[in-house]
Amino acid sequence: MSRDSMPLQELSLQTSMSSQPRRNNKRKSRSLLSEGLDTECTPTDLIQQWSPSHKHQRLLDQGKENEENVFLLGRRSRRKKGPTSAISWDHLPEELLLRIFFCLPLQDLLRMSRVCKRWHRLAFDESLWTSVDLEGLTNMDLALEQVLKTGVRRLRCPRSFVVEIQFTVLSPLQIVQLDLSSSIIPTPGLASIVCHCTELEYLSLEGLQLSDSIINALSKNTNLLQLNVSGCSGFSSAPLADMLKSCSRIEQLNISWCDFTNDHVKSVVENLSSAVTQLNISGYRESLTLGDIQVLVKRCRDIHTLDLSDSTLLMADCFLVLKELKNLQHLSLSRCYHIHLATLYDLSQMFPSLSLLEVFGLVHDNQLSSLKNELPNISINSRPFSTVARPTPACKSIILGDRAMWSRRCRLRVKP
């Protein structure tokens, strides 16, 4: 058999398994074989000796490479990737997501609410919106409506501008502390908010235009502790009297510089609760009389902060009435021009507990030093602004910050 007649498979096998130094020997043996095979009397054992070796059958079964001491390379199937150990956000419980959302500022929380429906629902959970500060927000109308619906309990938005708001909701609001000082809000819109409040404890409506319906709505908040309606107008004396009777737990009341008549002033002093300890009733130049002071002192014996500034009808005889206030610590008599300077030198004897005295406009600068020498234990003219029932008193803003509300800051607030 010639070389060209060999099967291709055997030819390739021989070529791959033969080494280079043995090629010459194979050629010699092949020539001898061909000569021997050409003869007719070739022995059978010679044919078997020089016949090409039989190729082993390649194992087709994978996974049995080392069987019978035969080494064979086999291709194994690729391993399937098992589940990863990472935790998906979708698998986190809602309690953990709420705890994460609780650490986010207001802007980031609103961005999270746009991820999916589930996150939108969690982002507006009432547990995240307990205290909100909207000061500095330009588009106040829609934002205020949305925040009120979240179940907010502490809301601060002073000096805000609201064009139109019609808050309609069936359930009452949960607001406990509300600061709308010096805001511009339509009276019907403000009424729609206050009429849904029944749990108010701290409220500041300083400088707002009110109405009788708003004052009547405040009567439902029997837990009211601090009320600031300084500079307000638009309500009559009868609803004011009913509100003060209903809200018998008020401790701090700032009702200064309102658009009051004599009837308004009498409604205040005749219906104040005995729980009042701090009162600002300044600004009633021609309305507050000595008789009103007598009624006031008789009803509220525990007052320790009293502001009677700009009450021009009061004279020195009012001290004989005020000395019944045994716990009086802070007294403001600024611009009470009918009180003579000489009567002020005896205040330390009349009021042993007095530590703060405001007499702006009543004592000239050249007389102030002598008064301080006579009253060394009393700080004179150290508080130019009243702190009664105000959310952010000027004297505490340096320590707590301008955005504090009743000694606490809101968690969610608009960045300045």
Side-chain angles (χ1 to χ4, degrees), residues 178-198:
L178 178 60
D179 180 14
L180 295 173
S181 303
S182 304
S183 298
I184 300 177
I185 303 178
T187 304
L190 180 61
S192 65
I193 297 175
V194 177
C195 289
H196 289 86
C197 296
T198 58

Side-chain angles (χ1 to χ4, degrees), residues 186-287:
T187 304
L190 180 61
S192 65
I193 297 175
V194 177
C195 289
H196 289 86
C197 296
T198 58
E199 301 180 9
L200 285 172
E201 296 180 4
Y202 299 81
L203 176 63
S204 178
L205 302 175
E206 184 172 346
L208 272 65
Q209 180 76 20
L210 306 182
S211 62
D212 289 347
S213 60
I214 294 177
I215 299 299
N216 290 328
L218 290 179
S219 302
K220 301 177 182 178
N221 298 269
T222 56
N223 294 325
L224 199 60
L225 299 176
Q226 295 189 23
L227 177 61
N228 179 19
V229 289
S230 175
C232 294
S233 59
F235 54 95
S236 55
S237 59
L240 177 61
D242 295 337
M243 186 268 293
L244 292 176
K245 290 179 182 178
S246 178
C247 301
S248 58
R249 297 183 59 186
I250 293 180
E251 298 175 354
Q252 296 189 29
L253 177 62
N254 191 336
I255 201 163
S256 61
W257 292 99
C258 294
D259 186 15
F260 276 3
T261 61
N262 294 337
D263 294 337
H264 284 88
V265 174
K266 293 185 181 301
S267 296
V268 173
V269 298
E270 292 176 359
N271 295 280
L272 275 179
S273 171
S274 59
V276 174
T277 58
Q278 299 187 40
L279 176 63
N280 186 345
I281 192 171
S282 62
Y284 303 111
R285 299 173 178 174
E286 304 297 332
S287 301

Side-chain angles (χ1 to χ4, degrees), residues 38-178:
D38 289 341
T39 60
E40 296 178 357
C41 299
T42 303
T44 304
D45 54 353
L46 184 61
I47 295 175
Q48 294 177 353
Q49 182 180 357
W50 293 101
S51 61
S53 59
H54 180 70
K55 182 181 178 181
H56 292 282
Q57 182 71 22
R58 184 171 181 175
L59 296 177
L60 299 179
D61 297 336
Q62 297 181 1
K64 301 180 180 180
E65 296 88 353
N66 297 327
E67 188 176 354
E68 297 180 358
N69 298 326
V70 178
F71 184 80
L72 180 65
L73 293 176
R75 179 177 296 177
R76 293 183 178 180
S77 60
R78 295 183 178 179
R79 293 181 179 180
K80 296 182 179 180
K81 294 183 179 180
T84 59
S85 59
I87 300 177
S88 173
W89 282 88
D90 296 334
H91 296 159
L92 292 178
E94 294 186 353
E95 292 79 4
L96 183 56
L97 286 175
L98 287 175
R99 189 68 185 91
I100 296 174
F101 289 175
F102 185 82
C103 301
L104 299 178
L106 178 59
Q107 284 79 358
D108 294 340
L109 183 62
L110 295 177
R111 293 189 187 99
M112 287 294 191
S113 66
R114 296 194 293 266
V115 173
C116 60
K117 292 183 178 179
R118 184 192 183 204
W119 284 24
H120 183 274
R121 176 175 55 83
L122 293 176
F124 286 97
D125 188 85
E126 63 179 17
S127 62
L128 305 178
W129 295 82
T130 54
S131 60
V132 183
D133 185 355
L134 297 180
E135 184 183 9
L137 190 65
T138 55
N139 187 10
M140 182 64 68
D141 297 39
L142 297 177
L144 183 58
E145 292 183 17
Q146 189 174 11
V147 170
L148 289 173
K149 294 178 181 179
T150 59
V152 61
R153 297 182 64 83
R154 301 180 65 244
L155 178 59
R156 180 180 184 270
C157 45
R159 297 172 291 277
S160 59
F161 179 74
V162 179
V163 178
E164 182 179 1
I165 181 173
Q166 293 294 334
F167 182 72
T168 56
V169 66
L170 297 178
S171 59
L173 297 176
Q174 303 179 23
I175 298 180
V176 176
Q177 298 182 5
L178 178 60

